[in-house]
Amino acid sequence: MIDPTVPRARRITRPDAILRGEEIGAGPTCLLLHAGGERRQVWAPVSEVLVEAGFRCVAFDQRGHGDSDGRARTLSACAADVAAMLFAEPPGCVVVGASLGGLAAVAALGDPAVRARVAGLVLVDVVPCLEPARVRRFLAAGGLAGTHTELVEDILAQVPRLRQITGALDLPLLLVHGDTGSSVTAEDIDQLLRLAPHTTVRSVHGAGHLIARERPVALARDVIAVTGAWGSPQ
């Protein structure tokens, strides 16, 4: 008998990488996608709250992070990994993506077959309406200028496509952003709401960009409060 409160190892073999992760809990699935430079363990305190609320949580190290190998050079590669994760799960996942994870999720949802497996998307302190100069300033201010440059530039080149996908999404959306040191501005939120007027927006007090690390309980509670009504895709 499997104890759902004990983490279980997960592994997905990709053509050029092996993705390693874990799952915990029982119930509707939340696929948790970490930010660039993080690893899956950042979700542990978030998962604890979600599991108590009746969710099953699945988190992988993204390619080139943590225990997963491969190289994170392009957004399309990260998005294809997200698609593989979703095809390994039952339909009806809630996808929670922080920063890079959120952008990879948006890119993956451009495929109707992937979209059909998802109940809704939670973007954690990231929007598809990225402004390149401001992104570069934000990274430089955090001492990350020159880090993952190839991937960053590829993502910025994909902004028109990310906007197009978001505008066409017929899925529920939740944006959770920090109120201190966040990368998301009021203008970003306005642009997102113009693209996807059905988006719910929540602000986490005392959080910056890495909300899963800084205010995990508050993030989990927002996910529970909003996504509980989403249900499964038809």
Side-chain angles (χ1 to χ4, degrees):
M1 188 75 175
I2 296 175
D3 183 349
T5 65
V6 176
R8 286 89 68 192
R10 294 290 304 276
R11 171 186 170 122
I12 294 177
T13 301
R14 304 284 298 132
D16 59 345
I18 294 176
L19 307 177
R20 294 177 174 86
E22 61 189 25
E23 64 174 278
I24 190 171
T29 300
C30 282
L31 176 63
L32 306 172
L33 305 169
H34 64 73
E38 298 272 19
R39 55 189 304 171
R40 67 182 188 271
Q41 283 83 359
V42 74
W43 293 112
V46 177
S47 294
E48 182 177 350
V49 180
L50 293 176
V51 168
E52 286 180 359
F55 286 89
R56 169 177 168 263
C57 294
V58 178
F60 285 87
D61 289 330
Q62 294 197 61
R63 60 171 52 231
H65 293 73
D67 296 324
S68 294
D69 54 24
R71 296 287 298 276
R73 291 173 171 167
T74 65
L75 184 61
S76 62
C78 297
D81 291 344
V82 173
M85 296 172 197
L86 286 166
F87 281 115
E89 300 301 329
C93 287
V94 170
V95 180
V96 182
S99 197
L100 170 61
L103 297 174
V106 172
L109 291 171
D111 181 344
V114 176
R115 196 160 61 246
R117 304 189 69 80
V118 174
L121 173 63
V122 180
L123 295 173
V124 182
D125 212 67
V126 70
V127 293
C129 319
L130 302 172
E131 202 284 309
R134 185 151 53 82
V135 169
R136 295 185 183 104
R137 287 196 299 271
F138 182 84
L139 293 173
L144 298 174
T147 303
H148 301 297
T149 302
E150 187 176 3
L151 177 60
V152 169
E153 293 304 318
D154 182 75
I155 289 171
L156 294 177
Q158 300 300 319
V159 168
R161 175 65 176 152
L162 293 171
R163 290 174 57 91
Q164 180 185 37
I165 293 169
T166 304
L169 280 181
D170 53 358
L171 296 172
L173 292 174
L174 167 63
L175 169 66
V176 182
H177 66 95
D179 69 347
T180 305
S182 169
S183 65
V184 176
T185 67
E187 181 181 355
D188 292 332
I189 295 171
D190 288 344
Q191 289 191 54
L192 177 59
L193 290 173
R194 287 195 292 271
L195 280 175
H198 55 288
T199 302
T200 301
V201 179
R202 293 289 182 94
S203 175
V204 176
H205 178 67
H209 182 53
L210 301 176
I211 303 176
R213 181 180 296 277
E214 297 165 358
R215 294 294 307 279
V217 174
L219 172 57
R221 287 175 177 167
D222 278 342
V223 171
I224 294 164
V226 176
T227 69
W230 286 0
S232 299
Q234 300 299 316

